[in-house]
Amino acid sequence: DLLIAGMPSIDLDDWETHTDYMGSITKDSQEAKWFWEILRDEFGATEHAKLMHFTTGSASVPGTGFSTLSGYGGGRCRFTLEGRTDQGPEYLPTAATCFNRLRVPKYTSKEQMASRLQMAIMGVQQFHEAAMGAPNAEADAAAAAAIARGGP
């Protein structure tokens, strides 16, 4: 069952171990440290799954862990954290789901990164709900207000 449905929870140590870095983010950069601190200290299981879904197109990890994460065409494709220096803090993170890549703009603080990650994964959920015919008007209004204020 695990091989079909994936792991019921996400092992952050396994995720971090099997992560590649590119662009302005390196394994030892401040942005990478913020990212893993946010996942460990501020995000719970629900946010972990939403971030996985945002980045890979699936909310679960293969039953054998992150080492066997696959990408476009079914081949192995590690999760990649990519730093973008061409986008400032007003931008939200984006993802290339075919390549399991999270593209993170240059943020000035851990709080700013956490806020923008939260907005990005919340936006995907709202898009999915709207596409499925179950829009959440209250959440849409809250998200619009947060964006107008410059963040949650």
Side-chain angles (χ1 to χ4, degrees), residues 18-38:
H18 295 98
T19 292
D20 287 336
Y21 301 88
M22 66 184 302
S24 63
I25 296 181
T26 65
K27 181 178 183 174
D28 297 317
S29 68
Q30 185 63 58
E31 291 87 352
K33 290 175 185 172
W34 288 344
F35 179 79
W36 297 112
E37 288 172 9
I38 291 165

Side-chain angles (χ1 to χ4, degrees), residues 79-98:
F79 174 83
T80 301
L81 195 56
E82 176 185 357
R84 303 285 307 263
T85 57
D86 61 331
Q87 294 181 336
E90 68 276 11
Y91 288 91
L92 294 176
T94 58
T97 57
C98 291

Side-chain angles (χ1 to χ4, degrees), residues 11-108:
D11 179 342
L12 295 179
D13 291 332
D14 185 46
W15 191 349
E16 186 174 6
T17 297
H18 295 98
T19 292
D20 287 336
Y21 301 88
M22 66 184 302
S24 63
I25 296 181
T26 65
K27 181 178 183 174
D28 297 317
S29 68
Q30 185 63 58
E31 291 87 352
K33 290 175 185 172
W34 288 344
F35 179 79
W36 297 112
E37 288 172 9
I38 291 165
L39 264 60
R40 285 190 170 85
D41 303 334
E42 300 179 34
F43 282 15
T46 299
E47 288 88 1
H48 296 158
K50 287 179 182 180
L51 183 60
M52 271 297 298
H53 186 259
F54 178 76
T55 307
T56 68
S58 173
S60 61
V61 181
T64 51
F66 278 91
S67 66
T68 59
L69 195 61
S70 63
Y72 177 74
R76 294 231 168 98
C77 185
R78 289 169 58 114
F79 174 83
T80 301
L81 195 56
E82 176 185 357
R84 303 285 307 263
T85 57
D86 61 331
Q87 294 181 336
E90 68 276 11
Y91 288 91
L92 294 176
T94 58
T97 57
C98 291
F99 305 106
N100 303 325
R101 184 173 300 158
L102 179 63
R103 296 178 172 139
V104 182
K106 187 74 174 165
Y107 296 123
T108 58

Side-chain angles (χ1 to χ4, degrees), residues 124-135:
V124 167
Q125 178 185 359
Q126 290 173 356
F127 176 79
H128 179 71
E129 288 171 353
M132 299 304 292

